[in-house]
Amino acid sequence: MKKRPAVKELKKIANDTRIEILKMLTCAGSGHTGGSLSMVELLVGLYFYKFRCDPEKPLCDTRDIFILSKGHGCPALYAVLAHMNFFKKEELCTLRKTGTRLQGHPQKGLPGIETSSGSLGQGLSIANGHALAARLDKDIRRIYCIMGDGELDEGQIWEAALTAAHYKLDNVCGIVDNNKFQIDGPIEEIKALEPLKDKWKAFNWCVLEIDGHNIEEVMDAYDKAETIKGKPTIILAHTVKGKGVSFFENQNKYHGVAPTKEELVRAIKELETEREQI
Ligand SMILES: Cc1ncc(C[n+]2csc(CCOP(=O)(O)OP(=O)(O)O)c2C)c(N)n1
């Protein structure tokens, strides 16, 4: 088993990641702020602890697979991949620029990106395909897939949930970035999901519920998911949209709006203050 990194270190990486995300988005002048910031700890806890990969050999046979089903949150993934050295940090500022490998939604071709995504609802089905292939190959690889809570409105997710349970895909670990908002407003107003835990249970998944910003709980959940046999696991991660910057938190107008230059300065100041307290 991999040694756990110090929580303090991961908190610092999460803080750095948020700053990178905001710089990228401001530089691009467009993109998804709220849903990138909400899943930072979910990605940091995965990539800097659990995930088996070799950034120098991104397609090596022994790697785990990560699918960002809520593809619009990709600035967070790009920042983490760059921090892991899948590609150079300097490339981050090309986000959404013509000809870039860092498209507004993930595109295959960038090291660390397994599948193009952004059309919501598809990622869990893709994860199932990888999981079935791993079984045929008698491979221990694990498949992780982050979905948005609004994304769960897509019927295909529930078809994939049935499939994963039917085939007892215990190598699949789904994660819901449960930030309580989607594009048009609060989840419970637009299309209620609760009781979400019961729904996944009824689909015969093992359900783990965590605070998605608590890095220890995040790592515990990835550990626990690995021990579950005979069924897939879903981590329902309670998160805050826009997490880390007071004036973005739970402000859904920043769902698909980048920070202005002034907002970036204020946001970095807040994050730097937070960093001093880690
Ligand atoms: C099939 C499809 N329909 C619509 C969209 C447009 N869209 C982009 S983000 C989004 C809201 C998703 O909500 P959620 O999954 O909760 O994302 P988060 O709040 O975490 O950003 C929608 C509808 C899309 N990308 N794909």
Side-chain angles (χ1 to χ4, degrees), residues 24 47 51 54-59 63 66 68 71 73-96 99-117:
M24 289 160 78
Y47 275 90
F51 201 66
D54 179 353
E56 282 180 18
K57 294 187 209 132
L59 295 177
R63 74 192 190 280
F66 176 73
L68 182 61
C74 59
L77 179 59
Y78 295 155
V80 167
L81 291 177
H83 201 119
M84 300 274 298
N85 291 321
F86 275 90
F87 52 87
K88 290 203 164 64
K89 265 198 177 163
E90 292 80 72
E91 200 170 340
L92 290 177
C93 62
T94 68
L95 175 73
R96 289 178 168 245
T100 182
R101 299 196 292 177
L102 277 64
Q103 291 292 320
H105 296 77
Q107 197 169 301
K108 257 181 121 166
L110 181 69
I113 300 297
E114 298 282 352
T115 188
S116 301
S117 60

Side-chain angles (χ1 to χ4, degrees), residues 43-54:
L43 287 171
V44 169
L46 182 63
Y47 275 90
F48 291 88
Y49 171 47
K50 202 80 232 173
F51 201 66
R52 296 175 320 134
C53 64
D54 179 353

Side-chain angles (χ1 to χ4, degrees), residues 52 61-65 126-144 167-172:
R52 296 175 320 134
D61 288 342
T62 53
R63 74 192 190 280
D64 287 334
I65 301 283
I126 296 168
N128 286 345
H130 280 287
L132 286 164
R135 179 177 287 173
L136 284 174
D137 291 343
K138 298 192 171 31
D139 196 305
I140 59 157
R141 81 172 35 154
R142 292 187 57 74
I143 326 296
Y144 298 90
Y167 288 106
K168 303 183 171 35
L169 297 179
D170 51 20
N171 49 353
V172 168

Side-chain angles (χ1 to χ4, degrees), residues 201-273:
K201 272 195 175 159
F203 276 72
N204 207 18
W205 283 58
C206 166
V207 187
L208 306 176
E209 209 169 1
I210 61 166
D211 170 352
H213 299 303
N214 181 320
I215 209 86
E216 247 173 330
E217 283 189 34
V218 171
M219 288 192 285
D220 285 347
Y222 291 136
D223 279 347
K224 174 84 181 167
E226 220 170 22
T227 68
I228 303 299
K229 299 295 167 213
K231 50 168 78 173
T233 296
I234 191 82
I235 300 174
L236 299 182
H238 294 286
T239 58
V240 173
K241 200 156 177 173
K243 175 72 179 175
V245 179
S246 62
F247 47 94
F248 293 152
E249 287 189 0
N250 295 314
Q251 299 301 316
N252 206 43
K253 63 181 177 187
Y254 291 103
H255 166 84
V257 173
T260 62
K261 286 190 181 128
E262 295 72 38
E263 285 168 337
L264 176 67
V265 172
R266 281 170 57 209
I268 291 180
K269 222 177 237 171
E270 278 195 14
L271 286 162
E272 283 176 348
T273 306

Side-chain angles (χ1 to χ4, degrees), residues 149-150 153 180-187 190 241 252 255:
D149 46 8
D153 288 355
K180 320 293 183 293
F181 286 94
Q182 53 121 298
I183 196 169
D184 290 323
I187 298 285
I190 307 292
K241 200 156 177 173
N252 206 43
H255 166 84

